[in-house]
Amino acid sequence: MRQHCKQLSTYSQYFLLITILLVVGCNSTEIIQYRSISKLSPSQLDKLTSKDSTLKIIDIRTRDHFLQGSIPGAINISVNSNNSEKILSVFDKNLSYLIYCSEGRLSYEVCIKMRELGFKDFYSLSGGYRHW
């Protein structure tokens, strides 16, 4: 019985430690941000563009990558983490946007910035251009 209680006490300590690490280590704001960014698959994008001709498709990759291939109708505006706020400040917040990059990471970051700046209708292409 003592051995069982000792083992249970050890498990309880591990559980408590893991719980503390998860609470301290996880940024709940980041989790909420991830859930609130709308991601579209290529097929969802096709359906949306067939219904909404006003959607602005923004390719944020470099000009060289854009010239190698892009989504039809896309506008190339090269964005990086350092200049996104400056570039986004000239966008009309009342329009709808699809933002995409090579793999989806930077477009996700730009979408977070768009939300912070008050944009209402924007999407990130899931997997980026590589999945297109």
Side-chain angles (χ1 to χ4, degrees):
M1 180 72 170
R2 275 191 138 160
Q3 182 68 18
H4 179 70
C5 288
K6 196 174 191 179
Q7 187 177 18
L8 185 59
S9 176
T10 302
Y11 287 131
S12 296
Q13 289 173 353
Y14 284 129
F15 179 76
L16 180 61
L17 178 61
I18 289 170
T19 303
I20 290 170
L21 289 174
L22 286 173
V23 169
V24 172
C26 288
N27 181 346
S28 61
T29 303
E30 185 175 318
I31 293 168
I32 292 168
Q33 287 177 343
Y34 178 79
R35 290 183 182 161
S36 64
I37 300 299
S38 296
K39 291 186 174 186
L40 295 179
S41 69
S43 62
Q44 289 171 316
L45 174 59
D46 285 340
K47 289 176 188 172
L48 183 62
T49 54
S50 69
K51 293 178 188 175
D52 183 4
S53 62
T54 63
L55 180 72
K56 304 297 180 198
I57 302 173
I58 309 295
D59 183 328
I60 61 173
R61 300 175 300 153
T62 64
R63 185 82 180 147
D64 289 340
H65 285 114
F66 179 77
L67 292 174
Q68 292 173 12
S70 63
I71 295 174
I75 301 166
N76 180 233
I77 302 174
S78 185
V79 175
N80 61 47
S81 297
N82 298 324
N83 70 1
S84 63
E85 187 167 346
K86 181 179 178 183
I87 289 173
L88 291 171
S89 68
V90 299
F91 283 30
D92 185 342
K93 293 179 182 175
N94 298 310
L95 297 178
S96 300
Y97 296 96
L98 171 84
I99 308 296
Y100 76 92
C101 61
S102 293
E103 297 177 356
R105 186 187 58 73
L106 183 58
S107 60
Y108 168 78
E109 291 176 16
V110 169
C111 285
I112 290 173
K113 182 58 72 178
M114 291 177 86
R115 187 185 55 232
E116 290 171 0
L117 293 173
F119 287 82
K120 303 288 184 233
D121 196 17
F122 53 87
Y123 308 91
S124 177
L125 181 62
S126 183
Y129 184 72
R130 291 183 186 204
H131 287 221
W132 174 255

